[in-house]
Amino acid sequence: MIYFTADTHFFHTELLGNNDFAPRPFKNVAEMNATVVANWNRRVKAGDQVYLLGDIAMVPNKPRAFAEVAGVLAQLNGQLIIIKGNHDSRAFLKYLAKNDGGLANGKPHYQFADVGALIKINHHQFFLTHYPLLLGKVQQTFNLHGHIHHYMLPIAENINVGIDAPERELLPTTLPFGTPLAASEIERIFERKQATLAKHSRD
């Protein structure tokens, strides 16, 4: 299976609390980190892939801090395909590549797609980026992104897959915080978002 997520922001103390920008109602970053890891692993299995669309963590640009983040990422099931976010330094990504412990199946735990990737699933194209793109008029094409946290672009094809994204509220069942999204859920979000935007335009 393939999953999508963004903006995990491990160790980011300033985001804690019930704020409008990035609501994270946890007492401390240890609780937040553990919650994301647990909910991630309830869904993602060892042989799955997860596209992590940037902003992995917020730590000092130092090897000791990188090691702390790597310790959390090592607990996550699946292969992580990482697209660089604005809070992900190249030094950090190089650290992960150099210290990749690998998976039980012999594959690397991390792959890197730098600024973006394009994949096809169920006759849809997925442009995967950290920053949202303005694609113009498209058919069967989605831009999955992060970066804007609890904010939703008024374009149905732009779907924020961040762990604190408002698009998650369009799903019929609330996902536990930190759960990566499946392609079927992306399609469901698109349908609900498209219908909601069409209704607003008529009102």
Side-chain angles (χ1 to χ4, degrees):
M1 289 284 289
I2 296 176
Y3 297 99
F4 308 93
T5 192
D7 297 313
T8 45
H9 279 257
F10 292 118
F11 297 99
H12 196 166
T13 304
E14 288 78 9
L15 291 186
L16 297 176
N18 284 313
N19 57 78
D20 292 332
F21 173 65
R24 299 188 179 213
F26 301 100
K27 296 176 184 177
N28 51 59
V29 292
E31 181 184 12
M32 179 181 73
N33 294 351
T35 298
V36 173
V37 170
N39 291 332
W40 176 302
N41 288 341
R42 283 191 184 97
R43 165 162 284 191
V44 179
K45 306 306 178 190
D48 294 336
Q49 290 183 317
V50 183
Y51 284 86
L52 176 49
L53 309 185
D55 284 7
I56 299 167
M58 192 70 165
V59 294
N61 201 29
K62 297 179 180 179
R64 181 181 296 179
F66 296 165
E68 281 192 290
V69 180
V72 173
L73 297 182
Q75 301 172 50
L76 297 174
N77 289 343
Q79 183 181 57
L80 279 61
I81 303 169
I82 296 170
I83 291 172
K84 184 181 181 299
N86 56 297
H87 290 300
D88 303 320
S89 70
R90 296 209 177 274
F92 170 59
L93 298 183
K94 287 179 180 178
Y95 178 92
L96 291 182
K98 184 178 179 181
N99 295 278
D100 189 340
L103 299 172
N105 60 11
K107 293 182 179 180
H109 192 196
Y110 310 116
Q111 288 189 344
F112 304 91
D114 202 28
V115 297
L118 172 63
I119 64 173
K120 292 184 179 181
I121 302 176
N122 298 335
H123 306 292
H124 289 88
Q125 290 191 110
F126 292 71
F127 280 96
L128 310 175
T129 57
H130 177 64
Y131 300 101
L133 300 176
L134 296 179
L135 298 176
K137 194 171 183 178
V138 293
Q139 287 187 334
Q140 296 184 305
T141 300
F142 303 135
N143 171 219
L144 307 189
H145 64 86
H147 186 62
I148 56 177
H149 293 273
H150 201 251
Y151 179 75
M152 181 190 305
L153 287 181
I155 303 169
E157 290 80 8
N158 287 85
I159 298 173
N160 183 356
V161 298
I163 62 175
D164 45 22
E167 274 92 333
R168 291 170 177 264
E169 297 162 17
L170 297 173
L171 292 170
T173 303
T174 301
L175 295 176
F177 187 84
T179 304
L181 295 166
S184 59
E185 289 165 333
I186 299 297
E187 293 173 17
R188 175 73 184 209
I189 288 171
F190 168 72
E191 291 167 359
R192 292 286 303 277
K193 189 174 180 182
Q194 188 178 49
T196 300
L197 291 171
K199 182 178 182 298
H200 288 328
S201 68
R202 292 193 301 267
D203 293 344

